[in-house]
Amino acid sequence: MTQPNRRSFLTGAGAIAGAVTAASVSKVAMAALPEPVIQTTPDTAGPLAPNSGRPYNPVVTLNGWTLPWRMNNGVKEFHLVAEPVAREMAPGFKAHLWGYNGQSPGPTIEVVEGDRVRIFVTNKLPEHTSIHWHGQRLPNGMDGVSGLTQKAIPVGKTFVYEFVARRPGTFMYHPHADEMTQMAMGMMGFWVTHPRARHPLIEEVDRDFVFLLSAYDIEPGAYTPKIMTMLDFNLWAFNSRIFPGIDSMNVRLGDKVRIRAGNLTMTNHPLHLHGHEFMVTGTDGGPTPRSTRWMEVTTDVAVGQMRQLEFLADEEGDWAFHCHKSHHTMNAMGHDVPTMIGVDHRDVARKIGKLVPDYMVMGERGMADMGEMEMLLPDNTAPMMTGQGPFGGLEMGGMFTTVKVRRGQKPGDYQDPGWFKHPAGTVAYEFTGQLPEPARAQASRQRAASEVPFRDVEVRARKPVGSNGHSGH
């Protein structure tokens, strides 16, 4: 668990006097601009318990943190700084992104239903920006759509947004100025409005995790995303982290667990939990009526949507949690590899090897080889399929992590407990007895005995022509 650092971006009366307001904010409030708080690591920070304002049960942001605030005459004040950041997406792989307060995504903002909120937004980007408070009921002039509801925030200036958090739920924030570029560069953040009293549709839970789904197109060896990509992204992330860089979600056996996710990619993501059933209890429209809830193990999160999943963690173990689009659980390097399964090209490989000494055969027996080979990668490149577990290679990447359920995990302890120790006799094992004769061979002999003419039929699959085979995830 890490703690954020403080760094002053605006110093002196001149800088403060240059601030521009988008709302009617008193001069007294503006004279005391909150000092911005900066996070320098991608680690999962512990829950930030409220020390002022209304009480609530705080969330934990996966590989992220919650933005501290101050109370100013009954108003909860935050300070976001839009700026270029260096985000470690996985160990050994960093990306040059844009974000807020030192990281991408920005910090989670937590408030309570009925709170009056004032958010100072300082623009340290090379172009103008704005912030849209996705899903909030607020005055039209606070909606953050540059050109429509406000002027864009110029470079070096600070705008102020102020409104009342009117309804509890799961929300997010992102730019609405040059949106294509700024979201492709990683500008987004999570927002949670807690209920101010017991709510008939919102259960109290023991663990409450949040994260955003994001996608990037970064060439192997490069640092900066290609912002013009529409669909063919090669890095699929939870909170701008890719496996094995995504922390596990660690809970106690018997905990009630809530996972909140928002989708700011260009495609849908079927999120799948192993070993447990969950219910979707809320969207960005608010908590769902109980009559609409049913048990699931996979739920789809469409573009621009939020989902709340809730379940009882009543099975010990290390349970996978991932997007069920299989190409979203691998990293770059593999998206343009042709299918070579069943192709014996040893002679060709020998000839090419004479010309290119480092030439390697890829995918001849399937892609599992990619998780095993010691392939030389460009600097600053995440392997396509990677990660080691207690039984060997996981052969994963992208949107993959685990929910670790432990009997001995203490209340409030979010530390990784390590790999699960399986009780004796509960792990799949190798069968070493005599294999029975395949049923298909018996059927074939019976067909021959009946003298019914039989002709083998060969089916061949062919990819569509005119596509790189990986568009339209």
Side-chain angles (χ1 to χ4, degrees):
M1 303 296 172
T2 60
Q3 296 296 324
N5 298 322
R6 292 183 179 276
R7 188 173 81 207
S8 178
F9 279 88
L10 296 178
T11 57
I16 295 175
V20 179
T21 61
S24 177
V25 179
S26 72
K27 292 182 179 178
V28 174
M30 285 301 296
L33 192 67
E35 183 182 13
V37 183
I38 305 301
Q39 180 60 272
T40 57
T41 78
D43 299 338
T44 300
L48 182 62
N51 56 14
S52 60
R54 297 185 175 98
Y56 61 85
N57 187 26
V59 302
V60 168
T61 305
L62 197 60
N63 291 104
W65 57 298
T66 289
L67 184 63
W69 69 89
R70 72 176 184 189
M71 298 301 296
N72 186 354
N73 293 324
V75 179
K76 187 171 280 187
E77 291 185 336
F78 300 88
H79 191 174
L80 287 173
V81 178
E83 59 178 345
V85 302
R87 175 70 167 179
E88 184 196 69
M89 298 189 70
F93 170 47
K94 290 185 177 180
H96 292 168
L97 305 178
W98 291 355
Y100 301 97
N101 298 54
Q103 293 293 317
S104 166
T108 297
I109 292 177
E110 292 186 79
V111 302
V112 179
E113 176 188 9
D115 277 353
R116 187 164 192 83
V117 180
R118 183 179 297 136
I119 306 137
F120 299 83
V121 179
T122 298
N123 183 10
K124 292 289 183 179
L125 298 172
E127 67 170 1
H128 64 223
T129 189
S130 70
I131 295 188
H132 167 56
W133 313 100
H134 186 112
Q136 301 282 353
R137 291 237 178 190
L138 37 60
N140 186 239
M142 294 291 165
D143 199 39
V145 182
S146 65
L148 178 65
T149 62
Q150 68 164 85
K151 292 182 178 178
I153 307 172
V155 175
K157 300 297 185 180
T158 298
F159 273 36
V160 181
Y161 296 88
E162 185 166 336
F163 54 90
V164 174
R166 292 165 56 182
R167 61 188 182 93
T170 300
F171 308 103
M172 53 190 170
Y173 62 87
H174 59 79
H176 226 298
D178 192 11
E179 185 173 334
M180 179 196 72
T181 298
Q182 297 188 12
M183 290 177 63
M185 290 291 287
M187 298 193 70
M188 57 193 73
F190 216 97
W191 177 300
V192 176
T193 301
H194 298 277
R196 62 180 160 187
R198 187 175 293 274
H199 192 288
L201 297 178
I202 302 176
E203 301 286 342
E204 294 185 359
V205 296
D206 301 294
R207 311 265 171 158
D208 200 340
F209 297 96
V210 309
F211 63 88
L212 290 169
L213 305 164
S214 53
Y216 301 95
D217 184 10
I218 304 176
E219 292 286 347
Y223 287 81
T224 305
K226 294 194 287 187
I227 60 171
M228 300 305 290
T229 297
M230 293 181 66
L231 293 173
D232 201 13
F233 298 91
N234 60 9
L235 293 168
W236 303 91
F238 290 169
N239 261 11
S240 298
R241 292 279 284 186
I242 55 174
F243 185 79
I246 304 172
D247 286 342
S248 55
M249 290 180 276
N250 311 312
V251 309
R252 178 185 175 91
L253 182 67
D255 273 354
K256 291 182 179 178
V257 181
R258 179 185 293 133
I259 299 175
R260 312 180 196 228
N263 182 4
L264 284 174
T265 73
M266 295 297 180
T267 188
N268 63 310
H269 297 283
L271 294 180
H272 176 54
L273 173 64
H274 291 210
H276 295 79
E277 306 84 36
F278 60 76
M279 283 195 296
V280 176
T281 60
T283 70
D284 29 0
T288 54
R290 293 188 186 279
S291 60
T292 65
R293 301 177 184 179
W294 62 85
M295 305 307 294
E296 304 215 43
V297 296
T298 303
T299 190
D300 201 33
V301 188
V303 180
Q305 288 186 332
M306 316 288 292
R307 288 290 180 272
Q308 292 179 188
L309 324 178
E310 291 182 23
F311 63 96
L312 179 65
D314 56 358
E315 296 285 351
E316 275 196 294
D318 297 333
W319 302 105
F321 180 78
H322 58 93
C323 175
H324 218 290
K325 287 185 174 179
S326 54
H327 283 203
H328 295 183
T329 53
M330 69 178 192
N331 299 323
M333 287 297 292
H335 284 225
D336 294 321
V337 175
T339 299
M340 299 298 290
I341 296 174
V343 177
D344 184 354
H345 56 303
R346 284 171 292 186
D347 288 342
V348 175
R350 261 195 301 273
K351 293 175 182 175
I352 296 177
K354 292 179 181 177
L355 301 173
V356 185
D358 293 331
Y359 177 76
M360 299 179 67
V361 176
M362 299 171 65
E364 188 178 17
R365 298 177 300 169
M367 297 307 289
D369 288 350
M370 297 294 292
E372 300 172 358
M373 63 175 56
E374 296 291 332
M375 182 178 178
L376 184 63
L377 298 175
D379 291 341
N380 197 53
T381 301
M384 183 181 78
M385 300 160 61
T386 184
Q388 289 293 315
F391 299 100
L394 271 71
E395 299 164 355
M396 283 286 164
M399 293 175 165
F400 180 91
T401 185
T402 54
V403 176
K404 295 188 173 181
V405 183
R406 295 290 188 277
R407 189 180 304 274
Q409 195 84 3
K410 297 180 180 178
D413 181 6
Y414 289 83
Q415 297 296 317
D416 185 346
W419 297 117
F420 182 58
K421 303 293 189 297
H422 299 265
T426 64
V427 176
Y429 57 93
E430 180 184 2
F431 175 75
T432 56
Q434 184 68 34
L435 292 176
E437 188 175 6
R440 189 171 59 182
Q442 295 174 356
S444 178
R445 279 204 301 273
Q446 291 169 359
R447 184 183 298 273
S450 65
E451 297 181 352
V452 175
F454 180 83
R455 188 179 65 175
D456 288 335
V457 176
E458 182 180 358
V459 177
R460 295 185 177 183
R462 180 170 61 86
K463 285 188 174 181
V465 177
S467 167
N468 65 4
H470 206 70
S471 61
H473 287 274

